Amino acid sequence: MTTPGAAAGGGTPAASVRRGPAGRLLALIADRANPMLVRCVRQELRSRTFISVYLLLLAVATLAATFAAGWADAGQDQRAGQGLFGILAWAWSFVVAVQALGTYSAVTRERNEDTWDLVDLTGMRPGQVLRGLLLANLAHGQLYTAALAPFLAMSYLLRGLDLMTIAFALVAIPLAGIAASTLAVFCACLGNNKGSRAFLGGLLGLFLTGCWWVSGYMWTGGQSAIDAAIGGLRDGQADAWLALGMLANAWAAFVILMLVLSGALLTHRAGDRSGGPRLIWFLLWLDLTLWLLVVTWRNAATGRSFLWTSLSEPLLTSGLIGVVWAAALGLFSVSEDYELSPRQARAITAARGWRRPLTPLLGPGAARGRLAFCAFTALALLLSGIGAACDSGDSGFAWMLASALIAGHASLILWTTDLIYRGPLARWLDTPLLRRGFLLVMVAVWSLGPVLAALVFDTGHVEKSWLATLSPFWGAAQILDRHGSDINPFDVAVPVLGGLAAWLVLLIQGIRLTIITRRVQARGDDANPRGG
């Protein structure tokens, strides 16, 4: 039915005329809502899984409340409240595993060849798809909470339970659900065929089941520890707030890392898959360094000897972690293709804002991957050098030497392996995925081979064998164990100097290589553009 103005030819429907501010706001939200969020929520509400789990939660909560009421009538109010809360929290933790597996199934369904075309036609970026999935997961969690909220209020009314403990559960379990869902999204993006997806789904299910069983002890037997931690926060204890900040930071770092890596895997292989992971890789290491310095400052302020008390110790620790972190970055970045797609080239030449000066390190391609590895390694070694200069004993030199040894081995492995898979084996190792698999094999051989050879030829004297020192991690462990003394300088000088030469070669290659573009070759899995 229309208004007279509409009947005359220039009006609007009556429903639109009578729409108030709230109606216009809802309409605006509906128009701007994430399509993936709307789709997943509607599908979940109609699915049998949601109805079954919701009814199961109601049944478990009702039975637990019945037993708790019986205990309360017997005069055991404290046991009744704590027992009811533990069962409800454990049941809610089970929902976390169900939601994560549901998210895994949703992503694998969207990546199927017969459905991804529809998603691709919407023009949504991978980040939008992931945000929609996580928001849908959060919405499902709120719906499940509606089934348990009245029973949680009952557990508080039975006494013996702090209200802040219930508030902790209302915050911690949804956050755990988001973290589990991001892990599920990452695992779903790894598999490109049905076999790998089934295997990864099974591993994810086992892991989430184990976490659920462990959470049962925390909610049923660890309530005193939770109450003590909440009491420390309520009293304003600095250590309790510092621990809470570290936990919140670890949660945020894990969620962001999973989202960035998942977004890179969902990006078309002709797009820029490198910038986001490289940037987050560096930021995570910087974040760890800052937290090590904060803990050291706190220990120095309170006069405790827990972990680190001087400035040199966190710097040396961060430097050693940094060279290993840089080696992991080099494993993925150095093995990329030299040639870039036109879209990847534009990500370098047409970068804007803060991205433009960072394109030599964050841009796609093996050339910029070499520069990223070299810069990261140099920065980590510089931090180790500063830590060694601030240390008054011999341990600082040992930590710096161990960092230099690992960095040298990493540079040698990357350079020599790059010569092999781009030279004699270039015909068979023609994709970054195959090159990375071969590089992992070389890392295993380089790290375990010398130790196994020492076990065969120098039985009983492995810790003093020169063969074992050729392994990067074994050699670094021996240097740290002996604090730099009683170490053959030749065993350390060869990998360090050889690694320096390899590092310089990688640096020169990264500087001298220019942008070479080519069209992405069609492959058999092009029905799924996120397939490789």
Side-chain angles (χ1 to χ4, degrees), residues 473-503:
F473 298 105
W474 182 275
Q478 291 300 311
I479 292 175
L480 296 178
D481 183 58
R482 303 177 191 179
H483 299 285
S485 61
D486 193 23
I487 297 293
N488 188 355
F490 180 80
D491 297 338
V492 179
V494 171
V496 170
L497 296 179
L500 177 60
W503 183 87

Short mmCIF file of all heavy atoms in Angstrom, two decimals, residues 473-503:
data_model
loop_
_atom_site.label_atom_id
_atom_site.label_comp_id
_atom_site.label_asym_id
_atom_site.label_seq_id
_atom_site.Cartn_x
_atom_site.Cartn_y
_atom_site.Cartn_z
N PHE A 473 72.41 -25.54 16.28
CA PHE A 473 71.80 -25.50 17.60
C PHE A 473 72.66 -26.22 18.64
O PHE A 473 72.75 -25.78 19.78
CB PHE A 473 70.39 -26.11 17.54
CG PHE A 473 69.47 -25.35 16.64
CD1 PHE A 473 69.13 -25.83 15.40
CD2 PHE A 473 68.95 -24.14 17.05
CE1 PHE A 473 68.28 -25.11 14.56
CE2 PHE A 473 68.10 -23.41 16.23
CZ PHE A 473 67.76 -23.91 14.98
N TRP A 474 73.31 -27.32 18.24
CA TRP A 474 74.20 -28.01 19.17
C TRP A 474 75.40 -27.13 19.50
O TRP A 474 75.81 -27.03 20.66
CB TRP A 474 74.64 -29.34 18.58
CG TRP A 474 75.52 -30.15 19.49
CD1 TRP A 474 76.87 -30.06 19.65
CD2 TRP A 474 75.10 -31.15 20.42
NE1 TRP A 474 77.33 -30.94 20.59
CE2 TRP A 474 76.25 -31.63 21.09
CE3 TRP A 474 73.85 -31.69 20.75
CZ2 TRP A 474 76.19 -32.63 22.05
CZ3 TRP A 474 73.80 -32.68 21.72
CH2 TRP A 474 74.95 -33.15 22.35
N GLY A 475 75.97 -26.50 18.47
CA GLY A 475 77.12 -25.63 18.72
C GLY A 475 76.76 -24.45 19.60
O GLY A 475 77.52 -24.08 20.51
N ALA A 476 75.59 -23.84 19.37
CA ALA A 476 75.17 -22.72 20.20
C ALA A 476 74.91 -23.17 21.64
O ALA A 476 75.26 -22.46 22.59
CB ALA A 476 73.91 -22.09 19.61
N ALA A 477 74.32 -24.36 21.81
CA ALA A 477 74.07 -24.87 23.17
C ALA A 477 75.38 -25.12 23.91
O ALA A 477 75.50 -24.85 25.11
CB ALA A 477 73.24 -26.15 23.09
N GLN A 478 76.39 -25.64 23.20
CA GLN A 478 77.69 -25.87 23.84
C GLN A 478 78.36 -24.56 24.23
O GLN A 478 78.98 -24.45 25.29
CB GLN A 478 78.59 -26.65 22.89
CG GLN A 478 78.15 -28.10 22.67
CD GLN A 478 78.14 -28.90 23.97
OE1 GLN A 478 79.11 -28.89 24.72
NE2 GLN A 478 77.03 -29.57 24.22
N ILE A 479 78.22 -23.54 23.40
CA ILE A 479 78.81 -22.24 23.74
C ILE A 479 78.15 -21.65 24.98
O ILE A 479 78.82 -21.14 25.88
CB ILE A 479 78.67 -21.28 22.54
CG1 ILE A 479 79.56 -21.75 21.39
CG2 ILE A 479 79.03 -19.86 22.93
CD1 ILE A 479 79.39 -20.94 20.13
N LEU A 480 76.83 -21.73 25.05
CA LEU A 480 76.13 -21.21 26.23
C LEU A 480 76.43 -22.03 27.47
O LEU A 480 76.52 -21.48 28.58
CB LEU A 480 74.62 -21.18 25.95
CG LEU A 480 74.15 -20.24 24.84
CD1 LEU A 480 72.65 -20.37 24.64
CD2 LEU A 480 74.51 -18.80 25.16
N ASP A 481 76.58 -23.35 27.30
CA ASP A 481 76.85 -24.20 28.45
C ASP A 481 78.23 -23.95 29.04
O ASP A 481 78.42 -24.00 30.26
CB ASP A 481 76.71 -25.66 28.05
CG ASP A 481 76.91 -26.61 29.23
OD1 ASP A 481 76.15 -26.49 30.21
OD2 ASP A 481 77.81 -27.47 29.15
N ARG A 482 79.20 -23.67 28.18
CA ARG A 482 80.58 -23.44 28.65
C ARG A 482 80.90 -21.96 28.81
O ARG A 482 82.05 -21.62 29.10
CB ARG A 482 81.56 -24.05 27.64
CG ARG A 482 81.32 -25.54 27.40
CD ARG A 482 82.27 -26.06 26.35
NE ARG A 482 81.90 -27.41 25.89
CZ ARG A 482 82.55 -28.09 24.97
NH1 ARG A 482 83.60 -27.55 24.38
NH2 ARG A 482 82.15 -29.29 24.60
N HIS A 483 79.91 -21.10 28.62
CA HIS A 483 80.09 -19.65 28.76
C HIS A 483 81.21 -19.13 27.87
O HIS A 483 81.95 -18.19 28.24
CB HIS A 483 80.37 -19.26 30.22
CG HIS A 483 79.26 -19.62 31.15
ND1 HIS A 483 78.07 -18.91 31.21
CD2 HIS A 483 79.14 -20.64 32.05
CE1 HIS A 483 77.27 -19.47 32.11
NE2 HIS A 483 77.88 -20.51 32.63
N GLY A 484 81.35 -19.73 26.69
CA GLY A 484 82.33 -19.25 25.72
C GLY A 484 83.74 -19.76 25.92
O GLY A 484 84.61 -19.52 25.07
N SER A 485 84.01 -20.46 27.01
CA SER A 485 85.35 -20.97 27.27
C SER A 485 85.49 -22.40 26.78
O SER A 485 84.49 -23.10 26.57
CB SER A 485 85.66 -20.89 28.77
OG SER A 485 84.74 -21.69 29.50
N ASP A 486 86.71 -22.86 26.60
CA ASP A 486 87.00 -24.23 26.18
C ASP A 486 86.30 -24.57 24.85
O ASP A 486 85.81 -25.67 24.65
CB ASP A 486 86.58 -25.23 27.26
CG ASP A 486 87.15 -26.63 27.00
OD1 ASP A 486 88.18 -26.73 26.29
OD2 ASP A 486 86.57 -27.62 27.49
N ILE A 487 86.25 -23.59 23.95
CA ILE A 487 85.67 -23.77 22.64
C ILE A 487 86.76 -23.57 21.61
O ILE A 487 87.51 -22.58 21.66
CB ILE A 487 84.50 -22.79 22.38
CG1 ILE A 487 83.37 -23.05 23.39
CG2 ILE A 487 83.99 -22.91 20.96
CD1 ILE A 487 82.68 -24.38 23.21
N ASN A 488 86.86 -24.51 20.68
CA ASN A 488 87.84 -24.38 19.61
C ASN A 488 87.48 -23.20 18.72
O ASN A 488 86.40 -23.20 18.12
CB ASN A 488 87.89 -25.67 18.79
CG ASN A 488 89.03 -25.67 17.79
OD1 ASN A 488 89.75 -24.68 17.64
ND2 ASN A 488 89.21 -26.79 17.13
N PRO A 489 88.33 -22.18 18.62
CA PRO A 489 87.98 -21.01 17.79
C PRO A 489 87.72 -21.39 16.33
O PRO A 489 86.91 -20.74 15.67
CB PRO A 489 89.20 -20.10 17.93
CG PRO A 489 89.85 -20.52 19.20
CD PRO A 489 89.61 -22.00 19.31
N PHE A 490 88.39 -22.43 15.85
CA PHE A 490 88.20 -22.83 14.45
C PHE A 490 86.78 -23.33 14.21
O PHE A 490 86.20 -23.07 13.15
CB PHE A 490 89.21 -23.93 14.10
CG PHE A 490 89.08 -24.41 12.68
CD1 PHE A 490 89.63 -23.68 11.63
CD2 PHE A 490 88.43 -25.60 12.39
CE1 PHE A 490 89.51 -24.13 10.32
CE2 PHE A 490 88.29 -26.05 11.09
CZ PHE A 490 88.85 -25.30 10.05
N ASP A 491 86.20 -24.03 15.20
CA ASP A 491 84.84 -24.54 15.05
C ASP A 491 83.81 -23.43 14.96
O ASP A 491 82.73 -23.62 14.39
CB ASP A 491 84.49 -25.46 16.24
CG ASP A 491 85.39 -26.69 16.29
OD1 ASP A 491 85.96 -27.03 15.25
OD2 ASP A 491 85.52 -27.27 17.38
N VAL A 492 84.11 -22.29 15.53
CA VAL A 492 83.19 -21.17 15.51
C VAL A 492 83.50 -20.21 14.36
O VAL A 492 82.60 -19.67 13.73
CB VAL A 492 83.24 -20.41 16.85
CG1 VAL A 492 82.29 -19.22 16.84
CG2 VAL A 492 82.91 -21.34 18.00
N ALA A 493 84.78 -20.04 14.07
CA ALA A 493 85.16 -19.05 13.04
C ALA A 493 84.69 -19.47 11.65
O ALA A 493 84.27 -18.62 10.86
CB ALA A 493 86.68 -18.87 13.05
N VAL A 494 84.74 -20.78 11.35
CA VAL A 494 84.36 -21.23 10.00
C VAL A 494 82.90 -20.93 9.70
O VAL A 494 82.58 -20.29 8.68
CB VAL A 494 84.70 -22.72 9.83
CG1 VAL A 494 84.10 -23.26 8.54
CG2 VAL A 494 86.20 -22.94 9.84
N PRO A 495 81.93 -21.36 10.54
CA PRO A 495 80.53 -21.03 10.21
C PRO A 495 80.22 -19.54 10.32
O PRO A 495 79.40 -19.02 9.55
CB PRO A 495 79.72 -21.84 11.23
CG PRO A 495 80.65 -22.12 12.34
CD PRO A 495 82.01 -22.23 11.74
N VAL A 496 80.87 -18.83 11.25
CA VAL A 496 80.58 -17.40 11.38
C VAL A 496 81.09 -16.63 10.17
O VAL A 496 80.36 -15.82 9.57
CB VAL A 496 81.19 -16.86 12.69
CG1 VAL A 496 81.10 -15.34 12.72
CG2 VAL A 496 80.47 -17.44 13.89
N LEU A 497 82.34 -16.87 9.78
CA LEU A 497 82.88 -16.16 8.62
C LEU A 497 82.21 -16.61 7.32
O LEU A 497 81.93 -15.80 6.43
CB LEU A 497 84.40 -16.38 8.54
CG LEU A 497 85.21 -15.80 9.71
CD1 LEU A 497 86.69 -16.11 9.54
CD2 LEU A 497 84.99 -14.29 9.80
N GLY A 498 81.96 -17.94 7.21
CA GLY A 498 81.24 -18.42 6.04
C GLY A 498 79.84 -17.85 5.97
O GLY A 498 79.34 -17.50 4.89
N GLY A 499 79.18 -17.76 7.12
CA GLY A 499 77.85 -17.17 7.15
C GLY A 499 77.87 -15.69 6.81
O GLY A 499 76.95 -15.19 6.15
N LEU A 500 78.92 -14.98 7.23
CA LEU A 500 79.04 -13.57 6.88
C LEU A 500 79.17 -13.40 5.37
O LEU A 500 78.55 -12.50 4.77
CB LEU A 500 80.23 -12.95 7.60
CG LEU A 500 80.54 -11.48 7.27
CD1 LEU A 500 79.35 -10.59 7.64
CD2 LEU A 500 81.81 -11.03 7.99
N ALA A 501 79.97 -14.27 4.75
CA ALA A 501 80.12 -14.20 3.29
C ALA A 501 78.78 -14.50 2.60
O ALA A 501 78.39 -13.82 1.63
CB ALA A 501 81.20 -15.18 2.83
N ALA A 502 78.07 -15.54 3.08
CA ALA A 502 76.76 -15.86 2.49
C ALA A 502 75.77 -14.73 2.71
O ALA A 502 74.97 -14.41 1.82
CB ALA A 502 76.23 -17.16 3.10
N TRP A 503 75.81 -14.11 3.88
CA TRP A 503 74.91 -12.98 4.16
C TRP A 503 75.19 -11.82 3.21
O TRP A 503 74.26 -11.18 2.71
CB TRP A 503 75.11 -12.55 5.61
CG TRP A 503 74.21 -11.44 6.06
CD1 TRP A 503 72.96 -11.56 6.56
CD2 TRP A 503 74.50 -10.03 6.05
NE1 TRP A 503 72.44 -10.33 6.88
CE2 TRP A 503 73.36 -9.38 6.57
CE3 TRP A 503 75.61 -9.29 5.66
CZ2 TRP A 503 73.31 -7.99 6.70
CZ3 TRP A 503 75.56 -7.90 5.78
CH2 TRP A 503 74.42 -7.28 6.30
#
